[in-house]
């Protein structure tokens, strides 16, 4: 994940070339109509930039939606937390877009195998998490680059996150915040019962991680990549996919790298 310089006006972020998408909330849809009234409406397929109006969850949905289009996404907060969003402001939007700082994000690729033999693949720009489905704890074996590193983790779950996602679910599970330039992936347990004192690990971004669910008939486990859920898994392979890139735009001095550093000093 790389944070870059301002994108520059040569990208052509002008009125009429901005596609506005909004979360299905009143405040977001009203903002979209107001912005379209000022700057015009453009189809996603013809846009030079996409402006997403909502919260972080909707921003993730938008990133997945526009991957194939290879257009940058600029979020404006019409939700709650808005860590991935810029402040909402309707004025001088084309100028702000031309001055925005770009961050290139690479997702994790999840390959999950279920008890029925089905194989499901999905991308995650925040994290891939394994979660118990029923009242009993999951039991999970963890292999890194083909080597067993934890023979049995009894837990509510475990997750591996991107640096950009390290401030989300990973942080809530007491995992470390990771700067974008660190090339590290936090591996964090969720309510670990055994080994009780294991707090997780920091892995190189090149790591190939394999989770194996144990006692699947008694302890069913689900895997979630951002908002894609696969239930009754047997194994989940996760690695960073650098062949996939999305560009997210931030206002000057409010770039994603700065936000991640500042979050570590929030009390």
């Amino acid at each position: 994940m790389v944070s870059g310089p301002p994108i520059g006006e040569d990208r052509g972020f002008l009125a009429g070339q901005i596609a506005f998408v909004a979360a299905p909330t009143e405040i977001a849809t009203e903002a979209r109509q107001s912005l379209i009234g000022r700057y015009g409406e453009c189809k996603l397929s013809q846009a030079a930039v996409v402006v997403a109006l909502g919260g972080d969850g909707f921003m993730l949905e938008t990133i997945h939606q526009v991957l194939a289009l290879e257009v940058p996404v600029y979020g404006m907060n019409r939700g709650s937390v808005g860590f991935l969003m810029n402040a909402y402001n309707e004025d001088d939007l084309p100028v702000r877009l031309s001055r925005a700082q770009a961050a290139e994000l690479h997702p994790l690729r999840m390959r999950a195998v279920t008890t029925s033999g089905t194989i499901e693949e999905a991308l995650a720009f925040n994290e891939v998490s394994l979660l118990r489905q029923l009242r009993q704890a999951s039991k999970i074996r963890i292999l890194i680059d083909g080597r067993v590193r934890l023979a049995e983790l009894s837990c509510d779950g475990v997750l591996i996150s991107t640096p950009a996602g390290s401030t989300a679910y990973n942080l809530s599970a007491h995992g470390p915040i990771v700067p974008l330039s660190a090339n590290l992936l936090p591996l964090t347990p969720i309510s670990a019962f055994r080994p009780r004192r294991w707090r997780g690990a920091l892995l190189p971004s090149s790591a190939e991680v394999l989770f194996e669910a144990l006692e699947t008939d008694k302890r069913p486990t689900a895997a979630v990549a951002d908002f894609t859920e696969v239930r009754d898994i047997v194994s989940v392979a996760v690695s960073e996919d650098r062949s996939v890139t999305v560009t997210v735009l931030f206002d000057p001095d409010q770039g994603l790298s700065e936000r991640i550093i500042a979050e570590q000093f929030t009390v």
Side-chain angles (χ1 to χ4, degrees), residues 25 31 70 78 87 94 107 117 130 132 166 168 181 188 208 232 239-240 244 264:
T25 62
E70 298 183 348
R78 295 283 82 186
L130 277 68
R132 66 182 176 100
S166 67
S181 58
T188 303
E208 302 279 344
D232 299 310
S239 60
E240 186 181 63
V244 179
Q264 297 177 79

Side-chain angles (χ1 to χ4, degrees), residues 33 39 41 50 52 79 90 97 110 133 147 181 220-221 227 245:
Q33 291 305 314
Y39 300 107
E41 186 170 14
V50 175
E90 295 186 8
L97 291 171
M110 175 185 80
Q133 291 177 199
R147 181 175 179 179
S181 58
T221 300
F227 47 82
T245 304

Side-chain angles (χ1 to χ4, degrees), residues 152-211:
E152 183 177 292
L153 172 65
S154 180
C155 58
D156 280 355
V158 63
L159 65 85
I160 182 168
S161 82
T162 65
S166 67
T167 61
Y169 193 6
N170 172 72
L171 181 59
S172 297
H174 307 291
I177 296 175
V178 176
L180 284 182
S181 58
N183 292 320
L184 295 171
L185 305 175
L187 174 64
T188 303
I190 304 168
S191 300
F193 181 67
R194 289 287 188 275
R196 194 183 298 272
R197 297 186 184 279
W198 186 65
R199 294 292 181 263
L202 286 172
L203 305 178
S205 59
S206 60
E208 302 279 344
V209 181
L210 179 64
F211 301 103

Side-chain angles (χ1 to χ4, degrees), residues 106-142:
H106 303 292
L108 300 173
R109 181 173 293 277
M110 175 185 80
R111 185 179 186 272
V113 181
T114 71
T115 54
S116 65
T118 302
I119 298 175
E120 302 279 354
E121 290 196 9
L123 298 176
F125 286 91
N126 259 6
E127 75 279 317
V128 173
S129 56
L130 277 68
L131 304 165
R132 66 182 176 100
Q133 291 177 199
L134 300 177
R135 60 182 177 83
Q136 289 189 303
S138 292
K139 287 189 176 181
I140 299 167
R141 179 181 294 123
I142 301 176

Side-chain angles (χ1 to χ4, degrees), residues 1-266:
M1 301 188 182
V2 179
S3 189
I7 53 178
E9 296 189 24
D10 60 322
R11 296 294 294 273
F13 292 159
L14 304 175
Q17 293 180 292
I18 307 168
F20 296 98
V21 294
T25 62
E26 183 177 354
I27 189 173
T29 54
E30 287 180 353
R32 179 176 183 271
Q33 291 305 314
S34 180
L35 287 163
I36 288 174
R38 295 187 65 168
Y39 300 107
E41 186 170 14
C42 178
K43 294 180 180 179
L44 277 175
S45 59
Q46 300 173 345
V49 63
V50 175
V51 172
L53 304 162
D56 287 339
F58 183 72
M59 183 65 167
L60 281 175
E61 291 182 26
T62 303
I63 287 172
H64 283 270
Q65 182 182 7
V66 305
L67 265 181
L69 301 177
E70 298 183 348
V71 294
V73 182
Y74 178 89
M76 285 203 286
N77 192 16
R78 295 283 82 186
S80 52
V81 178
F83 185 82
L84 295 174
M85 315 301 278
N86 299 283
Y88 183 76
N89 187 340
E90 295 186 8
D91 296 333
D92 301 319
L93 183 57
V95 174
R96 296 201 336 264
L97 291 171
S98 70
R99 295 175 178 173
Q101 298 282 333
E104 293 186 347
L105 308 182
H106 303 292
L108 300 173
R109 181 173 293 277
M110 175 185 80
R111 185 179 186 272
V113 181
T114 71
T115 54
S116 65
T118 302
I119 298 175
E120 302 279 354
E121 290 196 9
L123 298 176
F125 286 91
N126 259 6
E127 75 279 317
V128 173
S129 56
L130 277 68
L131 304 165
R132 66 182 176 100
Q133 291 177 199
L134 300 177
R135 60 182 177 83
Q136 289 189 303
S138 292
K139 287 189 176 181
I140 299 167
R141 179 181 294 123
I142 301 176
L143 296 86
I144 311 297
D145 295 327
R147 181 175 179 179
V148 176
R149 291 295 183 178
L150 203 55
E152 183 177 292
L153 172 65
S154 180
C155 58
D156 280 355
V158 63
L159 65 85
I160 182 168
S161 82
T162 65
S166 67
T167 61
Y169 193 6
N170 172 72
L171 181 59
S172 297
H174 307 291
I177 296 175
V178 176
L180 284 182
S181 58
N183 292 320
L184 295 171
L185 305 175
L187 174 64
T188 303
I190 304 168
S191 300
F193 181 67
R194 289 287 188 275
R196 194 183 298 272
R197 297 186 184 279
W198 186 65
R199 294 292 181 263
L202 286 172
L203 305 178
S205 59
S206 60
E208 302 279 344
V209 181
L210 179 64
F211 301 103
E212 295 179 342
L214 308 177
E215 302 178 21
T216 54
D217 56 336
K218 182 180 179 182
R219 305 172 186 274
T221 300
V224 182
D226 283 351
F227 47 82
T228 299
E229 181 179 11
V230 182
R231 297 178 72 82
D232 299 310
I233 60 95
V234 172
S235 66
V236 176
V238 182
S239 60
E240 186 181 63
D241 190 342
R242 298 192 68 85
S243 71
V244 179
T245 304
V246 68
T247 301
V248 182
L249 306 178
F250 296 92
D251 291 331
D253 301 321
Q254 294 293 322
L256 190 55
S257 292
E258 166 59 26
R259 294 177 187 217
I260 290 174
I261 292 173
E263 187 69 21
Q264 297 177 79
F265 295 90
T266 299

